[in-house]
Amino acid sequence: MDTFELTLVAQEGQTAVLEVAGYINNEGGEVIAREARKLLDSGCRNLLFDLRATRIINSIGISLLLEVLERTLEVKGTLAFCSLTPSIAKTFQIMGLAQYARIFPDRPAALDELTAAR
Amino acid sequence: MAEPVRLRLVLPRVARAELIAGDAMDDLGRRISFPRDTLAEVKLAVVEACLNALEYSAGEVAVELTAHGDDAQPWIEVVVTDHGPGFDPSGVSRPVLEAKLHAPRKRGWGLELIRRLMDDVTITSRPGLTTVHMIRRTGGE
């Protein structure tokens, strides 16, 4: 599926869960960055992006995710991803993203930890 | 002995043109039963090489995809050619996440991804002609 879609599926306390579907390029990345900024500005501190329906993130999309990461770290929040395809997991590993962001196998595992931490 | 399956494309200057090449790669790889997860990595490398070519050249971007499926170990070969100003590949520094996080410009991951996702990458570049030649074997990293 290449049509990009971002859906805020849950927001409880300081944790928001967003489902991302489709190709994350410059346009998709900007939508993500905009929504993340809005959530962080409204007091949300944990952002979980469920990438189950995302097959490919290009390098421009990556750079926009880094903007989200930078902003999340500035507010002492946590940026997390779950349900990565093997190729996206490898992309994140090449970048060294796990040093700064949390990566979980699935949404329940992520929420267990993110909601327990706050 | 079966001939390799080869496809030549000239990318149109339209939104997401890089995905046309990526999707074609996906199709070709499936025809030789290339492992799905490995193929996804090749697809990303193709997308990145095309993005660079489309961004840095105004002229034609050509892509040649070849799936070699008849060997004991199937392999894929990709050549992306553009006619932009060229660049010195050895002068492109490797991105470091910590530095990128605090830098205003966070881009610069494309070449690193290409090099890490493919087994062999050769870039030749001079003004007017840049060629990125990439190979991925099934047993690659």
Side-chain angles (χ1 to χ4, degrees):
Chain A
M1 185 199 299
D2 289 330
T3 306
F4 180 83
E5 205 172 323
L6 178 69
T7 312
L8 177 62
V9 290
Q11 189 174 1
E12 195 178 314
Q14 291 191 313
T15 301
V17 182
L18 301 105
E19 280 180 359
V20 188
Y23 180 36
I24 305 182
N25 60 353
N26 52 329
E27 292 164 356
E30 278 164 14
V31 173
I32 289 172
R34 209 166 32 241
E35 184 65 24
R37 203 174 305 122
K38 204 188 324 173
L39 287 163
L40 292 170
D41 287 349
S42 70
C44 190
R45 289 296 173 264
N46 299 320
L47 299 179
L48 171 63
F49 288 93
D50 187 330
L51 300 183
R52 168 181 14 181
T54 294
R55 295 281 166 271
I56 187 164
I57 305 177
N58 76 20
S59 57
I60 305 175
I62 285 170
S63 68
L64 288 156
L65 291 181
L66 291 186
E67 283 187 14
V68 175
L69 176 57
E70 183 182 31
R71 176 75 183 124
T72 308
L73 294 174
E74 279 171 4
V75 299
K76 301 194 188 322
T78 301
L79 179 63
F81 299 92
C82 70
S83 310
L84 312 185
T85 64
S87 66
I88 291 176
K90 183 157 180 178
T91 301
F92 285 1
Q93 177 244 315
I94 288 169
M95 296 169 63
L97 197 66
Q99 295 171 73
Y100 296 98
R102 304 295 312 274
I103 294 168
F104 296 96
D106 52 39
R107 198 188 299 183
L111 288 175
D112 274 355
E113 199 158 320
L114 291 174
T115 51
R118 303 261 169 189
Chain B
M1 188 170 179
E3 288 294 312
V5 185
R6 181 168 287 123
L7 177 66
R8 290 190 185 87
L9 300 166
V10 174
L11 294 185
R13 295 269 166 186
V14 297
R16 301 173 169 209
E18 69 281 5
L19 267 192
I20 297 172
D23 289 343
M25 183 72 266
D26 201 39
D27 188 283
L28 235 57
R30 285 170 195 263
R31 285 168 191 265
I32 60 163
S33 302
F34 213 71
R36 183 183 290 251
D37 292 341
T38 313
L39 190 54
E41 295 175 9
V42 177
K43 178 177 178 176
L44 178 56
V46 170
V47 162
E48 291 301 329
C50 292
L51 274 176
N52 280 341
L54 289 163
E55 180 168 359
Y56 294 107
S57 74
E60 187 173 275
V61 171
V63 185
E64 184 171 304
L65 310 170
T66 310
H68 303 262
D70 203 38
D71 300 348
Q73 193 186 52
W75 56 290
I76 283 172
E77 187 177 11
V78 179
V79 182
V80 178
T81 305
D82 73 66
H83 302 280
F87 72 106
D88 175 8
S90 66
V92 179
S93 57
R94 297 183 67 172
V96 176
L97 181 58
E98 187 168 1
K100 288 284 181 195
L101 263 183
H102 305 294
R105 187 180 188 277
K106 303 193 187 308
R107 290 189 55 190
W109 295 91
L111 209 50
E112 178 72 2
L113 288 173
I114 289 169
R115 286 183 167 138
R116 300 277 296 272
L117 293 171
M118 301 297 276
D119 290 325
D120 300 317
V121 178
T122 307
I123 301 172
T124 54
S125 187
R126 59 178 166 80
L129 183 64
T130 294
T131 301
V132 179
H133 180 263
M134 313 183 273
I135 287 174
R136 180 71 196 256
R137 302 173 192 87
T138 47
E141 188 191 341

